Amino acid sequence: MFKATINSNYFKKIIEAMSNLIDEVSFEIDEEGMKASAMDPSHVALVSVNIPKEAFEEYVADIHEIGVDLEAFKKIMGRAKSNEKLTLELDEENNKLNLILKNDAIRRFSLSLYDVSSTNVKVPSIEYPNEITIKAGAFVDALKDAELVNDHVSLKMSQDGKFTIYSKGDINQSEIIYDGDSDSILDLKITQDTKSTFSLPYLKDITKATSSNEVLHIYLGTDMPVKIEYNIGNGKIIFLLAPRIES
């Protein structure tokens, strides 16, 4: 048994955020909510989603694993309107997940389920020396500046209270510096100087589903995976991205 109703806009953003990195995923369903985690095909990035039952207007569930094609899921959710309610309903007999969108009319879609349980991975527990809380729009803008120069970017934090997004090409470079007085910075926790370099296309994919007023929590250390997390409604999405180790 699984049936849950949620604001379609929230769930649409969750599916979009996941599908930017992975093609399929298995949602683990129990009485506490929905969760899923998977590596991207290149094993460079990990995405993890947790949607507690409190995020839903209606939620009834036994324990299930529901494997879905995220691209197909994304196409259906792309048809959802912001004021619609989405009901997810498991059809165990036909091995399908029914998606019911309700507003002026009732629209019903059925997704075939797949055995993709092997995609689930545990999010490693990592102690980070530094953390920044920043508005998503500011971080995305900085990535756009860095993209003019190169396809990888360094994220640096220094004990003088600065967060720097730095990119260097063969002849050009860009540098965007934020400090605790910047309007876009909501919190800075820095215990040591750190620097790590990452793939810019991956960072763009991680932040693609965010809106400018959303808040990112970014955790950094030297040559460590960056952890980026943010909330979508009452749900939480976490990304880990491996660093590019420079010689």
Side-chain angles (χ1 to χ4, degrees):
M1 172 67 181
F2 171 61
K3 185 176 182 180
T5 300
I6 192 170
N7 181 295
S8 65
N9 195 47
Y10 292 153
F11 207 81
K12 177 180 179 180
K13 291 194 68 173
I14 290 170
I15 295 300
E16 285 180 350
M18 298 181 74
S19 66
N20 289 330
L21 287 178
I22 56 178
D23 301 321
E24 58 184 24
V25 74
S26 180
F27 284 101
E28 297 178 359
I29 311 291
D30 60 24
E31 62 275 7
E32 298 301 320
M34 300 176 66
K35 60 183 179 180
S37 58
M39 297 288 294
D40 82 294
S42 299
H43 284 231
V44 174
L46 181 151
V47 55
S48 177
V49 168
N50 182 32
I51 315 171
K53 65 180 181 181
E54 292 79 12
F56 297 86
E57 297 178 16
E58 176 191 2
Y59 189 87
V60 181
D62 300 324
I63 296 175
H64 295 283
E65 287 196 8
I66 299 177
V68 295
D69 178 334
L70 281 175
E71 186 60 30
F73 211 146
K74 180 181 177 180
K75 287 179 180 178
I76 293 172
M77 294 310 303
R79 295 291 302 146
K81 300 175 176 61
S82 60
N83 58 347
E84 285 185 313
K85 303 295 183 185
L86 168 68
T87 296
L88 307 169
E89 191 172 45
L90 178 62
D91 181 351
E92 294 185 71
E93 182 177 347
N94 295 304
N95 198 37
K96 293 183 182 293
L97 179 66
N98 294 326
L99 311 178
I100 304 163
L101 293 165
K102 186 180 294 186
N103 191 12
D104 289 340
I106 296 174
R107 296 185 289 154
R108 184 185 297 268
F109 302 88
S110 293
L111 272 178
S112 294
L113 301 183
Y114 298 90
D115 182 12
V116 292
S117 57
S118 61
T119 64
N120 276 308
V121 293
K122 291 185 177 180
V123 178
S125 178
I126 302 174
E127 294 291 330
Y128 287 91
N130 297 334
E131 176 186 352
I132 180 171
T133 305
I134 184 172
K135 293 179 182 178
F139 188 64
V140 170
D141 277 346
L143 296 181
K144 289 178 180 178
D145 288 346
E147 188 179 21
L148 300 175
V149 176
N150 210 327
D151 63 357
H152 57 269
V153 62
S154 295
L155 305 181
K156 301 189 288 186
M157 297 185 76
S158 56
Q159 293 187 76
D160 60 357
K162 290 184 172 60
F163 173 51
T164 303
I165 299 97
Y166 174 79
S167 183
K168 183 177 181 180
D170 293 334
I171 57 175
N172 300 319
Q173 68 182 48
S174 72
E175 189 176 50
I176 303 93
I177 302 171
Y178 293 102
D179 60 27
D181 294 328
S182 301
D183 291 339
S184 299
I185 303 300
L186 306 180
D187 194 23
L188 276 173
K189 296 176 182 176
I190 303 173
T191 63
Q192 60 184 254
D193 293 345
T194 59
K195 175 187 174 184
S196 292
T197 301
F198 302 96
S199 163
L200 188 48
Y202 269 95
L203 286 174
K204 288 181 63 184
D205 281 342
I206 286 171
T207 55
K208 189 181 294 183
T210 62
S211 57
S212 61
N213 59 345
E214 287 178 326
V215 175
L216 303 180
H217 298 273
I218 302 176
Y219 301 82
L220 287 166
T222 295
D223 293 334
M224 296 171 63
V226 59
K227 180 167 79 169
I228 299 176
E229 63 181 42
Y230 59 93
N231 295 326
I232 299 177
N234 289 324
K236 176 178 285 188
I237 188 161
I238 298 172
F239 297 93
L240 287 178
L241 177 63
R244 180 180 184 271
I245 304 300
E246 299 177 299
S247 58

